[in-house]
Amino acid sequence: MTVSLEQLRRCHIAVDLGAARTRVYVKGAGLVVDEPSAAAVNTRTGALIAVGQFAEQMTGRTPGYIRVVRPVSGGTVVDIEMCQRMLRHLLGEKLRRTLRRKPRLRAAACTPHDADPLAQRAAVETMVGLGARRVELVDTLIAAAVGCGLPVERPEATMILVCGAATTQVAVLSLGSIVTAERIPVGGEAIDHAIVQHLRHQHELMLPSQSVRPLQLALSGNGLTAHGPESTEIHGRDVATGLARSVQVETAAVRDAIHTPLTAVLDGIGKVLRDCPPDLVADLADRGIMMVGGSALLPGLDQMLVNATGMPVRIAERPDVCAVLGLGAMLEGKIQPLVLDPLAG
């Protein structure tokens, strides 16, 4: 999976297939697709009804014969054919016609750290099905570090935390490569699930699947820190009666509920630091941790990491699109490798 910058400069299109969102960057045109990784299918005819944002809105609201599927799980393509159909519709006829004119279409794709050969092959086959003659695979950690402006090519330690929907990846980078890294099977979905379970057990309230994000936004700012609002009103369905009901939920209780899945993330960060050479850990004491990924915006998460590690924690300017923008910067040739001057004889 080691790919040179020279090979990436020859690519025409870059794709970041995430469990939550799919993003496509086209050389010269920039970011052209940023949509949820969802597709609605008619199970009677097999026809594709909707993809992206519209399919996401249909989740939990469809009749029995319409099913909303997610062809990507944890950054890995689990349904190649459906993923190809979803990408074709997201790209649109006009853009696909432009890409077909390329005599030898080359594509770059993000893959999670330590992705097994099957996962890598699934990503390659998905892009080949879209017409790519050659596919270059780039580690998500390196692409995200480039996208958020970290000096990854220098002999200095940089630590990045990619908070995805299904997994969290943490790594220490130096000289353009990964020194130590860890992939933790806890992401934004696990945090959402913890909130849903808390409301079900403590308040006997079933929360609609699409109401968890608004709940987190209601708690944003200082929401999940000790200085935030004490309570917030939540609407849902009563477990016993099935009727609509509203309850006042204490912020402190929600904070405790999501702390359990986040403990695994803190353990992963500790393991990476223990495996890292002491010289690089000394660099990190000043530079701290850079957070990217859609779940990096979870209110209070950065402060929780500061309290646990004692290191400064920063959130990237556009954390959700860092990986695909990093790939795009490599495609456009904006990243220069470190040139080592030969010793003067």
Side-chain angles (χ1 to χ4, degrees), residues 36-41 49-60 62 68-70 210:
S37 304
V41 184
I49 296 170
V51 295
Q53 188 64 47
F54 190 35
E56 179 84 358
Q57 292 170 357
M58 295 165 73
T59 305
T62 58
V68 178
V69 296
R70 295 186 174 276
Q210 295 180 358

Side-chain angles (χ1 to χ4, degrees), residues 17 60 64 71 130 190 243 269-270 309-310 313 325 342:
L17 292 168
L130 289 174
L243 300 175
I269 292 173
T309 62
V313 176
L325 291 182

Side-chain angles (χ1 to χ4, degrees), residues 1 26 44 93 103 137 202 237 291 293:
M1 210 163 73
V26 174
R44 293 174 181 170
E93 185 59 39
L137 299 180
Q202 299 298 321
R237 190 180 81 185
M291 290 175 63

